[in-house]
Amino acid sequence: MTLRVGGVQDMDHELRGARRNVYLLTAAQAVLGTIGPIVFSVGGVAGYQLLGDDKSLATAPLTGFNVGVALGAVFVAAMSRLLGRKAAFMVGALLGAGGGVLAAYALFLSDFWLFALGMCVSGVAGGFTQKLRFAAADASPRFYKPRAISWILAGGMVSAVLGPQLVILTKDMLAPVFFAGAFIALVPTCLAAIAILAFLRLPDLRPVAGAAPTGPVRPLREIVLNRRFLTGMVCGISTYALMTFMMTGAPIAMVVGCGFSQDMATLGIQWHVLAMFAPSFFTGMLVSRFGAEKVVACGLVILMLCALVAHAGIGLWNFWGALILLGTGWNFGFIGSTAIVASSYRPQEADKVQGFHDIILFTAVALASFGSGKVLTAYGWDMLSAAVWPVTAFCLLLLFSLFIAERRRSA
């Protein structure tokens, strides 16, 4: 009886520690998450203005951002092994501030490719930020993992409001160099995140020299070829790439193609980011109750609805409605996919598997953002939404295949 009480006390202590870390990581996500809304609100339009007659490369700075996110996935895994996750996250926040300064400097020089480099450095910081969801899951008991992931993504609710509002308040601050003020605003924002991260108490997952291994570590090839991991990764990549593909082109389509104001486009991104993160308050509970696979499938269906609204016209409500559905579909699809991936590896395998996953993920996202500008320039907004149909159909087929395979295995 005493042992049982002790076990309950240990579990309660572990849960309290996990919740503390999750709350701090959520706050850090809320602050660092402003980088994305700021970049995607004005990065494409700023790039468009810096170019000459050929505007097809307007989204190249956003591609630079996503390339940076992919590189950040490599760097954060390496730095986490060397310095620990807490120190790695703080370095990532510093890079976010540096990227903002470099982007603003490039705007003063009217240097398109230097601006793209600044976006790339900011993206590296974004890659570090992406690791926050895994850090929360790895520091939590198994039953608390889906909710921990949801809480981290719920921090994006603050980012969804703070990022676009910072753009509206600061984009003209350094006129006549428009948008430079928005990137300078990243400096105090990232410094605030460092102050929050200083209070973290994350478990050290680095191997200790001379210590006995905590369990068998499978080769990376064995893990990533597992049907469950592959399904989670493909669905996560597809959900994220589709979201980026449409979100990247939306501000340019609204401002340049349809004559809406920059503020209307920025508010559209704000509603989109709110929709990305608002469902996170209950998505984790839905994953726990109904299973990650069903939540992902629901997200894919919502993405199909997004495509329908986008196809229906080019009014303001079409853009905003499509962006809201795009964000909601991403939330269900990405949280569910992350939960599937997180259930396919062991704690001692975390860094290498997560690094591999995020490299593939954000390489695909970078290609999606680059392709967005090309497709938008050549074929228009309607063609961006058409890409949703084949990709979501393929992912639904994968999920159904996984469901059948696991049902047979448990029978």
Side-chain angles (χ1 to χ4, degrees):
M1 184 71 176
T2 304
L3 289 175
R4 183 181 177 186
V5 172
V8 171
Q9 290 176 340
D10 289 343
M11 184 178 294
D12 185 58
H13 178 72
E14 181 185 9
L15 183 57
R16 284 200 304 272
R19 282 175 173 164
R20 181 183 184 277
N21 283 323
V22 166
Y23 296 153
L24 288 170
L25 288 167
T26 299
Q29 170 72 48
V31 178
L32 288 174
T34 60
I35 297 175
I38 288 174
V39 166
F40 281 97
S41 291
V42 299
V45 177
Y48 188 93
Q49 293 177 353
L50 290 174
L51 287 170
D53 294 333
D54 183 6
K55 303 294 188 180
S56 64
L57 291 175
T59 58
L62 301 182
T63 301
F65 176 82
N66 286 312
V67 169
V69 174
L71 293 173
V74 179
F75 295 152
V76 70
M79 293 196 69
S80 294
R81 287 194 295 270
L82 290 173
L83 305 175
R85 289 186 170 183
K86 175 180 173 179
F89 292 149
M90 295 172 79
V91 171
L94 277 176
L95 288 171
V101 171
L102 184 58
Y105 180 62
L107 289 174
F108 273 95
L109 298 180
S110 297
D111 190 322
F112 177 82
W113 292 110
L114 185 62
F115 179 66
L117 179 61
M119 294 293 91
C120 183
V121 176
S122 297
V124 173
F128 279 65
T129 304
Q130 289 294 329
K131 190 78 168 181
L132 296 178
R133 72 189 193 278
F134 284 121
D138 294 339
S140 300
R142 186 176 183 85
F143 70 89
Y144 193 65
K145 288 181 187 292
R147 192 165 296 184
I149 295 170
S150 291
W151 267 105
I152 298 304
L153 295 183
M157 286 287 293
V158 177
S159 307
V161 176
L162 181 60
Q165 291 304 315
L166 281 174
V167 170
I168 291 172
L169 291 172
T170 61
K171 62 183 172 58
D172 301 329
M173 185 175 67
L174 299 176
V177 182
F178 298 107
F179 306 125
F183 293 106
I184 291 295
L186 288 177
V187 176
T189 302
C190 291
L191 292 178
I194 291 173
I196 294 169
L197 292 166
F199 292 95
L200 280 176
R201 296 175 187 169
L202 293 174
D204 194 348
L205 300 179
R206 292 175 292 172
V208 179
T214 56
V217 178
R218 295 170 294 171
L220 181 61
R221 176 184 174 86
E222 178 183 340
I223 301 168
V224 301
L225 291 180
N226 177 274
R227 183 193 291 267
R228 185 166 184 80
F229 175 86
L230 280 174
T231 301
M233 184 177 74
V234 171
C235 289
I237 287 173
S238 299
T239 302
Y240 215 129
L242 284 174
M243 185 274 292
T244 302
F245 191 64
M246 292 189 68
M247 177 184 67
T248 300
I252 299 175
M254 292 179 71
V255 175
V256 179
C258 298
F260 294 108
S261 69
Q262 177 62 51
D263 284 354
M264 288 296 99
T266 299
L267 288 172
I269 294 297
Q270 175 174 303
W271 284 112
H272 166 71
V273 180
L274 278 169
M276 286 174 65
F277 297 111
S280 298
F281 290 108
F282 55 83
T283 312
M285 291 182 286
L286 293 176
V287 170
S288 298
R289 181 170 181 179
F290 298 106
E293 295 83 358
K294 292 180 181 178
V295 172
V296 175
C298 182
L300 294 169
V301 172
I302 294 172
L303 289 177
M304 291 178 174
L305 293 175
C306 159
L308 282 175
V309 172
H311 283 310
I314 54 172
L316 185 63
W317 81 267
N318 295 100
F319 282 106
W320 282 18
L323 285 169
I324 289 170
L325 289 168
L326 184 67
T328 306
W330 175 87
N331 181 278
F332 279 66
F334 193 60
I335 289 181
S337 298
T338 300
I340 293 174
V341 169
S343 68
S344 66
Y345 60 80
R346 300 161 186 164
Q348 61 270 27
E349 300 164 344
D351 279 333
K352 67 178 182 180
V353 177
Q354 293 166 8
F356 173 84
H357 174 275
D358 280 357
I359 291 169
I360 302 298
L361 170 66
F362 291 109
T363 298
V365 168
L367 292 173
S369 66
F370 182 76
S372 178
K374 293 286 187 179
V375 172
L376 182 66
T377 302
Y379 304 107
W381 168 250
D382 199 51
M383 187 58 71
L384 291 183
S385 57
V388 169
W389 301 105
V391 176
T392 51
F394 177 71
C395 289
L396 286 170
L397 184 63
L398 278 180
L399 285 170
F400 181 72
S401 175
L402 177 66
F403 173 76
I404 295 299
E406 293 192 343
R407 188 171 183 178
R408 286 175 178 172
R409 189 180 301 120
S410 62

